[in-house]
Amino acid sequence: MEPLKNHVARPVVEMLGEHFEREAPDFVAEQFVRRVMDELPALELKDRINLIAVELRRHLDDDYVPALGHVVAVATSGVEGFAAWPLCSFVELFGVDHPNESLAAMEHLTQRMSCEFAIRPFLDHHLNQTIAQLEAWTDHPDAAVRRLVSEGTRPRLPWGPRVEALTKNPDIGLALIERLRFDVSDDVRRSVANHLNDIAKEYPERVVEVARRWKAEGVSSSLISHALRTLVKKGDRGALAVLGFTTEAAVAVDRFDVVPSEIRLGSTIELIAELRSTGPDAQRLVVDFVVHHPSGSGKVSTKVFKWATIGLESGETAELKKQRKIANMSTRTYQLGFHEIELQVAGLTVGRSGFDLIG
């Protein structure tokens, strides 16, 4: 898979140079491209984006407001995607002293590439004004602008700096996503779910309360399920109950094995579980598995993986099988040694097995 940073390379820089040279009379594309390309190849994605934004600032008007006008004009001329990201970063890095003009610009920029990162400094330094603008955007005709309302205020936005006000007071974000819970856009509703899932990591009871009310109001089940995914993995009984799952599982584990029990990196394991209902009533159960990963420092980290949701009548047995390839990824480097795997039903550990990773 091609690294994301390769999407921001010489062709993008040259294209931006051409656009700005046409838009801003004093902009010299050749100088801009040369300065960017002197440093860009050695940088990772976000640093490439910021480098381009910095050089745009260097080559445009000294006054931020007319320079911003050129940035918006280039964005609305058809630049989008990764090429538009430095335009959003331009506002993020240099616009915080001009909130009126910068927020107005974001309405246009975010329709080309999300301004979810760009809006974070404004939430830090101009909270009330920014929230007021976001409230107004909840009725915007463009879904990308409405999505910015939810995504830009996520307490744990991936790659985004934390905004203390949002972390300390989840009601700020909740008041905004409340307006978007029935949005017609799948992208907006998914952002709302991700926002609620962020809040759940700090305020689980508050999120369960909101999810229960939203369910009664007819909010889509897929949104609520996605919003509660972290709590479900943790076995939160309130979240399980909202989604209609059994919270007190009555099951016997007749088998839980990992085969083979000894593998080399790049091989595939199979998890096999046989569960038998021991209760008098039908049950709807969430089944997960938890992998304990040894690290190079000797510590162990755990990660919960989804397996299945099953229905069991009284006395009924279910056999589950799951294959998983054990290979290094960008987010995980496997260490040699024993990897314990727990079988988890309704958030509780009901079985243990594992495998040895050998060299």
Side-chain angles (χ1 to χ4, degrees):
M1 185 176 180
E2 183 181 20
L4 287 177
K5 67 180 181 180
N6 290 354
H7 291 279
V8 184
R10 179 177 285 274
V12 164
V13 178
E14 291 178 342
M15 182 267 287
L16 286 174
E18 293 170 3
H19 274 274
F20 275 96
E21 193 168 59
R22 287 196 296 269
E23 172 60 35
D26 297 330
F27 191 95
V28 181
E30 182 182 357
Q31 293 179 4
F32 165 75
V33 172
R34 184 175 66 252
R35 287 188 65 97
V36 172
M37 293 311 301
D38 281 346
E39 298 182 41
L40 186 138
L43 302 178
E44 296 302 319
L45 175 61
K46 193 70 189 304
D47 289 332
R48 292 186 179 199
I49 298 296
N50 288 341
L51 170 66
I52 295 172
V54 168
E55 289 302 328
L56 286 174
R57 186 72 190 96
R58 187 193 305 273
H59 286 79
L60 290 169
D61 300 68
D62 291 339
D63 188 344
Y64 171 78
V65 174
L68 179 64
H70 295 314
V71 168
V72 173
V74 167
T76 55
S77 70
V79 173
E80 58 186 14
F82 281 94
W85 192 349
L87 310 184
C88 302
S89 292
F90 182 94
V91 180
E92 177 183 1
L93 296 175
F94 305 109
V96 75
D97 292 333
H98 303 272
N100 294 334
E101 296 84 357
S102 296
L103 289 170
M106 281 190 230
E107 178 182 356
H108 304 285
L109 295 174
T110 202
Q111 296 180 52
R112 277 77 193 173
M113 182 66 176
S114 176
C115 282
E116 62 203 57
F117 304 123
I119 205 163
R120 308 292 274 192
F122 296 85
L123 288 163
D124 263 329
H125 296 280
H126 309 285
L127 179 63
N128 292 336
Q129 180 179 354
T130 305
I131 292 299
Q133 180 62 78
L134 291 169
E135 287 176 351
W137 282 340
T138 59
D139 293 322
H140 198 280
D142 192 285
V145 180
R146 301 196 305 275
R147 179 183 178 274
L148 174 61
V149 175
S150 173
E151 199 71 9
T153 56
R154 283 180 59 180
R156 294 192 175 201
L157 178 66
W159 292 10
R162 294 290 177 91
V163 176
E164 185 177 6
L166 301 177
T167 304
K168 287 186 173 181
N169 184 7
D171 288 336
I172 295 174
L174 283 170
L176 293 170
I177 63 175
E178 187 85 22
R179 296 166 175 247
L180 300 170
R181 66 193 189 283
F182 293 112
D183 200 277
V184 296
S185 165
D186 289 341
D187 287 342
V188 174
R189 294 198 307 275
R190 187 171 184 83
S191 177
V192 168
N194 286 333
H195 188 132
L196 203 57
N197 184 61
D198 280 1
I199 296 175
K201 295 169 184 176
E202 303 291 341
Y203 304 93
E205 293 180 0
R206 183 83 170 91
V207 168
V208 169
E209 172 193 331
V210 170
R212 185 181 294 115
R213 175 170 57 81
W214 283 11
K215 182 181 180 181
E217 293 170 351
V219 173
S220 74
S221 58
S222 60
L223 186 160
I224 293 173
S225 178
H226 195 61
L228 296 179
R229 64 190 185 276
T230 295
L231 294 182
V232 168
K233 284 183 176 182
K234 292 181 176 180
D236 184 284
R237 293 182 179 182
L240 290 171
V242 168
L243 297 175
F245 292 112
T246 301
T247 58
E248 297 283 354
V251 295
V253 181
D254 294 331
R255 181 186 181 188
F256 180 50
D257 292 323
V258 178
V259 293
S261 60
E262 186 176 273
I263 66 166
R264 295 181 183 277
L265 193 65
S267 301
T268 298
I269 59 171
E270 184 173 43
L271 283 66
I272 304 171
E274 292 181 6
L275 302 176
R276 175 169 42 88
S277 174
T278 59
D281 302 315
Q283 301 180 81
R284 185 167 176 249
L285 300 171
V286 175
V287 182
D288 301 317
F289 64 97
V290 185
V291 181
H292 295 258
H293 298 276
S295 68
S297 65
K299 297 181 179 180
V300 175
S301 63
T302 61
K303 183 168 178 60
V304 181
F305 296 92
K306 300 302 296 177
W307 192 342
T309 58
I310 60 172
L312 283 180
E313 297 295 331
S314 179
E316 185 179 6
T317 297
E319 182 181 58
L320 303 175
K321 293 185 177 182
K322 180 83 169 182
Q323 291 189 337
R324 182 170 183 81
K325 187 174 182 179
I326 305 301
N328 289 333
M329 300 174 290
S330 60
T331 55
R332 170 73 60 189
T333 299
Y334 280 89
Q335 303 294 325
L336 300 183
F338 183 71
H339 291 64
E340 183 181 50
I341 299 182
E342 296 178 12
L343 175 63
Q344 185 172 282
V345 178
L348 297 177
T349 299
V350 296
R352 300 176 189 274
S353 188
F355 65 93
D356 268 310
L357 183 61
I358 61 174

